[in-house]
PDB file of all heavy atoms in Angstrom:
ATOM      1  N   LEU W 329      -7.542   0.993   1.398  1.00 98.00           N
ATOM      2  CA  LEU W 329      -6.749   1.837   2.281  1.00 98.00           C
ATOM      3  C   LEU W 329      -7.706   2.797   2.948  1.00 98.00           C
ATOM      4  O   LEU W 329      -7.597   2.987   4.207  1.00 98.00           O
ATOM      5  CB  LEU W 329      -5.738   2.623   1.445  1.00 98.00           C
ATOM      6  CG  LEU W 329      -4.332   2.961   2.033  1.00 98.00           C
ATOM      7  CD1 LEU W 329      -3.751   4.195   1.351  1.00 98.00           C
ATOM      8  CD2 LEU W 329      -4.317   3.085   3.512  1.00 98.00           C
ATOM      9  N   ASP W 330      -8.605   3.423   2.226  1.00 98.00           N
ATOM     10  CA  ASP W 330      -9.583   4.324   2.833  1.00 98.00           C
ATOM     11  C   ASP W 330     -10.363   3.593   3.947  1.00 98.00           C
ATOM     12  O   ASP W 330     -10.596   4.174   5.009  1.00 98.00           O
ATOM     13  CB  ASP W 330     -10.591   4.770   1.784  1.00 98.00           C
ATOM     14  CG  ASP W 330     -10.008   5.726   0.762  1.00 98.00           C
ATOM     15  OD1 ASP W 330      -8.904   6.265   1.058  1.00 98.00           O
ATOM     16  OD2 ASP W 330     -10.627   5.917  -0.294  1.00 98.00           O
ATOM     17  N   PHE W 331     -10.757   2.361   3.709  1.00 98.00           N
ATOM     18  CA  PHE W 331     -11.470   1.603   4.716  1.00 98.00           C
ATOM     19  C   PHE W 331     -10.670   1.531   6.014  1.00 98.00           C
ATOM     20  O   PHE W 331     -11.221   1.778   7.129  1.00 98.00           O
ATOM     21  CB  PHE W 331     -11.793   0.219   4.183  1.00 98.00           C
ATOM     22  CG  PHE W 331     -12.222  -0.720   5.320  1.00 98.00           C
ATOM     23  CD1 PHE W 331     -13.519  -0.692   5.846  1.00 98.00           C
ATOM     24  CD2 PHE W 331     -11.286  -1.608   5.892  1.00 98.00           C
ATOM     25  CE1 PHE W 331     -13.879  -1.503   6.859  1.00 98.00           C
ATOM     26  CE2 PHE W 331     -11.699  -2.469   6.921  1.00 98.00           C
ATOM     27  CZ  PHE W 331     -12.960  -2.397   7.403  1.00 98.00           C
ATOM     28  N   HIS W 332      -9.408   1.173   5.896  1.00 98.00           N
ATOM     29  CA  HIS W 332      -8.578   1.011   7.109  1.00 98.00           C
ATOM     30  C   HIS W 332      -8.379   2.341   7.831  1.00 98.00           C
ATOM     31  O   HIS W 332      -8.309   2.390   9.069  1.00 98.00           O
ATOM     32  CB  HIS W 332      -7.281   0.315   6.799  1.00 98.00           C
ATOM     33  CG  HIS W 332      -7.454  -1.176   6.582  1.00 98.00           C
ATOM     34  ND1 HIS W 332      -7.690  -2.054   7.626  1.00 98.00           N
ATOM     35  CD2 HIS W 332      -7.446  -1.913   5.434  1.00 98.00           C
ATOM     36  CE1 HIS W 332      -7.822  -3.272   7.145  1.00 98.00           C
ATOM     37  NE2 HIS W 332      -7.696  -3.180   5.837  1.00 98.00           N
ATOM     38  N   VAL W 333      -8.244   3.408   7.062  1.00 98.00           N
ATOM     39  CA  VAL W 333      -8.048   4.732   7.670  1.00 98.00           C
ATOM     40  C   VAL W 333      -9.331   5.096   8.457  1.00 98.00           C
ATOM     41  O   VAL W 333      -9.283   5.498   9.625  1.00 98.00           O
ATOM     42  CB  VAL W 333      -7.767   5.763   6.587  1.00 98.00           C
ATOM     43  CG1 VAL W 333      -7.785   7.189   7.223  1.00 98.00           C
ATOM     44  CG2 VAL W 333      -6.407   5.537   5.924  1.00 98.00           C
ATOM     45  N   ARG W 334     -10.523   4.912   7.821  1.00 98.00           N
ATOM     46  CA  ARG W 334     -11.765   5.172   8.511  1.00 98.00           C
ATOM     47  C   ARG W 334     -11.968   4.247   9.732  1.00 98.00           C
ATOM     48  O   ARG W 334     -12.427   4.693  10.772  1.00 98.00           O
ATOM     49  CB  ARG W 334     -12.962   4.959   7.570  1.00 98.00           C
ATOM     50  CG  ARG W 334     -13.100   5.916   6.478  1.00 98.00           C
ATOM     51  CD  ARG W 334     -14.435   5.709   5.756  1.00 98.00           C
ATOM     52  NE  ARG W 334     -14.540   6.532   4.582  1.00 98.00           N
ATOM     53  CZ  ARG W 334     -14.432   6.031   3.301  1.00 98.00           C
ATOM     54  NH1 ARG W 334     -14.309   4.761   3.064  1.00 98.00           N
ATOM     55  NH2 ARG W 334     -14.540   6.866   2.307  1.00 98.00           N
ATOM     56  N   ASP W 335     -11.620   2.998   9.530  1.00 98.00           N
ATOM     57  CA  ASP W 335     -11.861   2.001  10.589  1.00 98.00           C
ATOM     58  C   ASP W 335     -11.108   2.380  11.865  1.00 98.00           C
ATOM     59  O   ASP W 335     -11.678   2.272  12.938  1.00 98.00           O
ATOM     60  CB  ASP W 335     -11.363   0.657  10.082  1.00 98.00           C
ATOM     61  CG  ASP W 335     -11.756  -0.498  10.946  1.00 98.00           C
ATOM     62  OD1 ASP W 335     -12.931  -0.550  11.362  1.00 98.00           O
ATOM     63  OD2 ASP W 335     -10.895  -1.339  11.255  1.00 98.00           O
ATOM     64  N   HIS W 336      -9.910   2.842  11.730  1.00 98.00           N
ATOM     65  CA  HIS W 336      -9.149   3.219  12.916  1.00 98.00           C
ATOM     66  C   HIS W 336      -9.592   4.599  13.485  1.00 98.00           C
ATOM     67  O   HIS W 336      -9.805   4.751  14.645  1.00 98.00           O
ATOM     68  CB  HIS W 336      -7.655   3.239  12.588  1.00 98.00           C
ATOM     69  CG  HIS W 336      -6.818   3.481  13.813  1.00 98.00           C
ATOM     70  ND1 HIS W 336      -5.736   4.350  13.826  1.00 98.00           N
ATOM     71  CD2 HIS W 336      -6.905   3.007  15.089  1.00 98.00           C
ATOM     72  CE1 HIS W 336      -5.208   4.375  15.042  1.00 98.00           C
ATOM     73  NE2 HIS W 336      -5.857   3.585  15.840  1.00 98.00           N
ATOM     74  N   LEU W 337      -9.750   5.521  12.577  1.00 98.00           N
ATOM     75  CA  LEU W 337     -10.143   6.878  13.008  1.00 98.00           C
ATOM     76  C   LEU W 337     -11.492   6.884  13.659  1.00 98.00           C
ATOM     77  O   LEU W 337     -11.779   7.644  14.582  1.00 98.00           O
ATOM     78  CB  LEU W 337     -10.148   7.820  11.782  1.00 98.00           C
ATOM     79  CG  LEU W 337      -9.001   8.813  11.569  1.00 98.00           C
ATOM     80  CD1 LEU W 337      -7.785   8.592  12.405  1.00 98.00           C
ATOM     81  CD2 LEU W 337      -8.729   9.016  10.083  1.00 98.00           C
ATOM     82  N   ASN W 338     -12.421   5.980  13.180  1.00 98.00           N
ATOM     83  CA  ASN W 338     -13.709   5.890  13.813  1.00 98.00           C
ATOM     84  C   ASN W 338     -13.616   5.603  15.312  1.00 98.00           C
ATOM     85  O   ASN W 338     -14.387   6.081  16.090  1.00 98.00           O
ATOM     86  CB  ASN W 338     -14.511   4.773  13.109  1.00 98.00           C
ATOM     87  CG  ASN W 338     -15.836   4.551  13.797  1.00 98.00           C
ATOM     88  OD1 ASN W 338     -16.624   5.460  14.053  1.00 98.00           O
ATOM     89  ND2 ASN W 338     -16.174   3.286  14.076  1.00 98.00           N
ATOM     90  N   LYS W 339     -12.585   4.794  15.675  1.00 97.00           N
ATOM     91  CA  LYS W 339     -12.447   4.416  17.063  1.00 97.00           C
ATOM     92  C   LYS W 339     -11.776   5.506  17.897  1.00 97.00           C
ATOM     93  O   LYS W 339     -12.033   5.613  19.073  1.00 97.00           O
ATOM     94  CB  LYS W 339     -11.584   3.154  17.131  1.00 97.00           C
ATOM     95  CG  LYS W 339     -12.248   1.943  16.451  1.00 97.00           C
ATOM     96  CD  LYS W 339     -11.466   0.674  16.720  1.00 97.00           C
ATOM     97  CE  LYS W 339     -12.075  -0.530  16.003  1.00 97.00           C
ATOM     98  NZ  LYS W 339     -11.548  -0.682  14.623  1.00 97.00           N
ATOM     99  N   ILE W 340     -10.903   6.299  17.271  1.00 97.00           N
ATOM    100  CA  ILE W 340     -10.082   7.199  18.106  1.00 97.00           C
ATOM    101  C   ILE W 340     -10.371   8.688  17.942  1.00 97.00           C
ATOM    102  O   ILE W 340      -9.948   9.501  18.759  1.00 97.00           O
ATOM    103  CB  ILE W 340      -8.569   6.985  17.805  1.00 97.00           C
ATOM    104  CG1 ILE W 340      -8.231   7.331  16.365  1.00 97.00           C
ATOM    105  CG2 ILE W 340      -8.170   5.553  18.197  1.00 97.00           C
ATOM    106  CD1 ILE W 340      -6.778   7.538  16.133  1.00 97.00           C
ATOM    107  N   ALA W 341     -11.062   9.065  16.815  1.00 98.00           N
ATOM    108  CA  ALA W 341     -11.192  10.477  16.569  1.00 98.00           C
ATOM    109  C   ALA W 341     -12.346  11.085  17.275  1.00 98.00           C
ATOM    110  O   ALA W 341     -13.512  10.707  17.131  1.00 98.00           O
ATOM    111  CB  ALA W 341     -11.301  10.734  15.052  1.00 98.00           C
ATOM    112  N   PRO W 342     -12.112  12.168  18.101  1.00 98.00           N
ATOM    113  CA  PRO W 342     -13.240  12.846  18.754  1.00 98.00           C
ATOM    114  C   PRO W 342     -14.107  13.517  17.704  1.00 98.00           C
ATOM    115  O   PRO W 342     -13.639  14.023  16.704  1.00 98.00           O
ATOM    116  CB  PRO W 342     -12.557  13.938  19.597  1.00 98.00           C
ATOM    117  CG  PRO W 342     -11.102  13.714  19.521  1.00 98.00           C
ATOM    118  CD  PRO W 342     -10.827  12.740  18.439  1.00 98.00           C
ATOM    119  N   ARG W 343     -15.407  13.532  17.981  1.00 98.00           N
ATOM    120  CA  ARG W 343     -16.397  14.130  17.136  1.00 98.00           C
ATOM    121  C   ARG W 343     -16.529  15.600  17.451  1.00 98.00           C
ATOM    122  O   ARG W 343     -16.599  15.969  18.584  1.00 98.00           O
ATOM    123  CB  ARG W 343     -17.783  13.423  17.276  1.00 98.00           C
ATOM    124  CG  ARG W 343     -18.021  12.241  16.413  1.00 98.00           C
ATOM    125  CD  ARG W 343     -17.001  11.106  16.675  1.00 98.00           C
ATOM    126  NE  ARG W 343     -17.449   9.866  15.972  1.00 98.00           N
ATOM    127  CZ  ARG W 343     -16.729   8.829  15.850  1.00 98.00           C
ATOM    128  NH1 ARG W 343     -15.443   8.778  16.314  1.00 98.00           N
ATOM    129  NH2 ARG W 343     -17.191   7.730  15.260  1.00 98.00           N
ATOM    130  N   VAL W 344     -16.611  16.389  16.395  1.00 98.00           N
ATOM    131  CA  VAL W 344     -16.874  17.807  16.574  1.00 98.00           C
ATOM    132  C   VAL W 344     -17.824  18.230  15.417  1.00 98.00           C
ATOM    133  O   VAL W 344     -18.041  17.483  14.505  1.00 98.00           O
ATOM    134  CB  VAL W 344     -15.592  18.679  16.499  1.00 98.00           C
ATOM    135  CG1 VAL W 344     -14.643  18.358  17.680  1.00 98.00           C
ATOM    136  CG2 VAL W 344     -14.866  18.464  15.201  1.00 98.00           C
ATOM    137  N   MET W 345     -18.331  19.511  15.527  1.00 98.00           N
ATOM    138  CA  MET W 345     -19.212  20.030  14.472  1.00 98.00           C
ATOM    139  C   MET W 345     -18.531  21.124  13.766  1.00 98.00           C
ATOM    140  O   MET W 345     -17.967  22.043  14.395  1.00 98.00           O
ATOM    141  CB  MET W 345     -20.520  20.431  15.065  1.00 98.00           C
ATOM    142  CG  MET W 345     -21.343  19.226  15.535  1.00 98.00           C
ATOM    143  SD  MET W 345     -23.105  19.576  15.752  1.00 98.00           S
ATOM    144  CE  MET W 345     -23.054  20.625  17.219  1.00 98.00           C
ATOM    145  N   ALA W 346     -18.510  21.106  12.477  1.00 98.00           N
ATOM    146  CA  ALA W 346     -17.963  22.168  11.629  1.00 98.00           C
ATOM    147  C   ALA W 346     -18.849  22.281  10.360  1.00 98.00           C
ATOM    148  O   ALA W 346     -19.297  21.252   9.847  1.00 98.00           O
ATOM    149  CB  ALA W 346     -16.524  21.805  11.239  1.00 98.00           C
ATOM    150  N   VAL W 347     -19.038  23.479   9.929  1.00 98.00           N
ATOM    151  CA  VAL W 347     -19.856  23.703   8.723  1.00 98.00           C
ATOM    152  C   VAL W 347     -18.899  24.285   7.647  1.00 98.00           C
ATOM    153  O   VAL W 347     -18.223  25.273   7.884  1.00 98.00           O
ATOM    154  CB  VAL W 347     -20.984  24.669   9.034  1.00 98.00           C
ATOM    155  CG1 VAL W 347     -21.715  25.053   7.705  1.00 98.00           C
ATOM    156  CG2 VAL W 347     -21.991  24.056  10.019  1.00 98.00           C
ATOM    157  N   LEU W 348     -18.891  23.623   6.512  1.00 98.00           N
ATOM    158  CA  LEU W 348     -17.927  24.025   5.469  1.00 98.00           C
ATOM    159  C   LEU W 348     -18.595  24.851   4.352  1.00 98.00           C
ATOM    160  O   LEU W 348     -17.920  25.506   3.574  1.00 98.00           O
ATOM    161  CB  LEU W 348     -17.251  22.764   4.877  1.00 98.00           C
ATOM    162  CG  LEU W 348     -16.511  21.911   5.871  1.00 98.00           C
ATOM    163  CD1 LEU W 348     -15.748  20.795   5.143  1.00 98.00           C
ATOM    164  CD2 LEU W 348     -15.511  22.701   6.677  1.00 98.00           C
ATOM    165  N   ASN W 349     -19.903  24.743   4.244  1.00 98.00           N
ATOM    166  CA  ASN W 349     -20.588  25.396   3.168  1.00 98.00           C
ATOM    167  C   ASN W 349     -21.833  26.038   3.745  1.00 98.00           C
ATOM    168  O   ASN W 349     -22.959  25.546   3.672  1.00 98.00           O
ATOM    169  CB  ASN W 349     -20.968  24.341   2.149  1.00 98.00           C
ATOM    170  CG  ASN W 349     -21.284  24.937   0.796  1.00 98.00           C
ATOM    171  OD1 ASN W 349     -21.089  26.141   0.588  1.00 98.00           O
ATOM    172  ND2 ASN W 349     -21.722  24.115  -0.112  1.00 98.00           N
ATOM    173  N   PRO W 350     -21.642  27.195   4.457  1.00 98.00           N
ATOM    174  CA  PRO W 350     -22.674  27.677   5.393  1.00 98.00           C
ATOM    175  C   PRO W 350     -23.949  28.245   4.784  1.00 98.00           C
ATOM    176  O   PRO W 350     -23.886  28.925   3.766  1.00 98.00           O
ATOM    177  CB  PRO W 350     -21.890  28.788   6.145  1.00 98.00           C
ATOM    178  CG  PRO W 350     -20.842  29.244   5.229  1.00 98.00           C
ATOM    179  CD  PRO W 350     -20.427  28.024   4.448  1.00 98.00           C
ATOM    180  N   LEU W 351     -25.069  28.003   5.492  1.00 98.00           N
ATOM    181  CA  LEU W 351     -26.309  28.630   5.164  1.00 98.00           C
ATOM    182  C   LEU W 351     -26.886  29.076   6.514  1.00 98.00           C
ATOM    183  O   LEU W 351     -26.930  28.301   7.457  1.00 98.00           O
ATOM    184  CB  LEU W 351     -27.235  27.621   4.494  1.00 98.00           C
ATOM    185  CG  LEU W 351     -28.696  28.085   4.322  1.00 98.00           C
ATOM    186  CD1 LEU W 351     -28.783  29.274   3.386  1.00 98.00           C
ATOM    187  CD2 LEU W 351     -29.559  26.936   3.769  1.00 98.00           C
ATOM    188  N   LYS W 352     -27.257  30.350   6.549  1.00 98.00           N
ATOM    189  CA  LYS W 352     -27.720  30.907   7.809  1.00 98.00           C
ATOM    190  C   LYS W 352     -29.117  30.429   8.167  1.00 98.00           C
ATOM    191  O   LYS W 352     -30.029  30.416   7.298  1.00 98.00           O
ATOM    192  CB  LYS W 352     -27.718  32.456   7.692  1.00 98.00           C
ATOM    193  CG  LYS W 352     -28.008  33.162   9.024  1.00 98.00           C
ATOM    194  CD  LYS W 352     -27.806  34.648   8.803  1.00 98.00           C
ATOM    195  CE  LYS W 352     -28.176  35.442  10.070  1.00 98.00           C
ATOM    196  NZ  LYS W 352     -28.052  36.901   9.886  1.00 98.00           N
ATOM    197  N   VAL W 353     -29.252  30.052   9.440  1.00 98.00           N
ATOM    198  CA  VAL W 353     -30.543  29.658   9.975  1.00 98.00           C
ATOM    199  C   VAL W 353     -30.852  30.546  11.175  1.00 98.00           C
ATOM    200  O   VAL W 353     -30.019  30.735  12.034  1.00 98.00           O
ATOM    201  CB  VAL W 353     -30.548  28.172  10.418  1.00 98.00           C
ATOM    202  CG1 VAL W 353     -31.752  27.889  11.318  1.00 98.00           C
ATOM    203  CG2 VAL W 353     -30.489  27.241   9.229  1.00 98.00           C
ATOM    204  N   VAL W 354     -32.051  31.150  11.176  1.00 98.00           N
ATOM    205  CA  VAL W 354     -32.451  31.970  12.323  1.00 98.00           C
ATOM    206  C   VAL W 354     -33.611  31.270  13.028  1.00 98.00           C
ATOM    207  O   VAL W 354     -34.588  30.899  12.408  1.00 98.00           O
ATOM    208  CB  VAL W 354     -32.915  33.376  11.842  1.00 98.00           C
ATOM    209  CG1 VAL W 354     -33.400  34.214  13.079  1.00 98.00           C
ATOM    210  CG2 VAL W 354     -31.772  34.124  11.129  1.00 98.00           C
ATOM    211  N   ILE W 355     -33.458  31.046  14.331  1.00 98.00           N
ATOM    212  CA  ILE W 355     -34.505  30.417  15.157  1.00 98.00           C
ATOM    213  C   ILE W 355     -35.368  31.521  15.643  1.00 98.00           C
ATOM    214  O   ILE W 355     -35.031  32.205  16.649  1.00 98.00           O
ATOM    215  CB  ILE W 355     -33.916  29.637  16.359  1.00 98.00           C
ATOM    216  CG1 ILE W 355     -32.724  28.790  15.898  1.00 98.00           C
ATOM    217  CG2 ILE W 355     -34.988  28.783  16.958  1.00 98.00           C
ATOM    218  CD1 ILE W 355     -32.985  27.582  15.131  1.00 98.00           C
ATOM    219  N   THR W 356     -36.453  31.828  15.009  1.00 97.00           N
ATOM    220  CA  THR W 356     -37.235  33.026  15.250  1.00 97.00           C
ATOM    221  C   THR W 356     -37.857  33.090  16.646  1.00 97.00           C
ATOM    222  O   THR W 356     -38.078  34.170  17.161  1.00 97.00           O
ATOM    223  CB  THR W 356     -38.331  33.226  14.178  1.00 97.00           C
ATOM    224  OG1 THR W 356     -39.117  32.019  14.124  1.00 97.00           O
ATOM    225  CG2 THR W 356     -37.719  33.497  12.819  1.00 97.00           C
ATOM    226  N   ASN W 357     -38.124  31.941  17.237  1.00 96.00           N
ATOM    227  CA  ASN W 357     -38.754  31.949  18.599  1.00 96.00           C
ATOM    228  C   ASN W 357     -37.709  31.750  19.680  1.00 96.00           C
ATOM    229  O   ASN W 357     -38.055  31.417  20.830  1.00 96.00           O
ATOM    230  CB  ASN W 357     -39.902  30.954  18.681  1.00 96.00           C
ATOM    231  CG  ASN W 357     -39.425  29.529  18.391  1.00 96.00           C
ATOM    232  OD1 ASN W 357     -38.420  29.293  17.720  1.00 96.00           O
ATOM    233  ND2 ASN W 357     -40.178  28.557  18.921  1.00 96.00           N
TER     234      ASN W 357
END
Side-chain angles (χ1 to χ4, degrees):
Chain W
L329 214 204
D330 289 344
F331 164 80
H332 283 287
V333 173
R334 289 188 188 110
D335 190 47
H336 186 224
L337 256 16
N338 176 49
K339 298 187 182 87
I340 64 163
R343 273 59 169 170
V344 295
M345 292 197 288
V347 173
L348 301 186
N349 199 6
L351 172 63
K352 188 174 176 182
V353 164
V354 178
I355 316 286
T356 53
N357 59 337

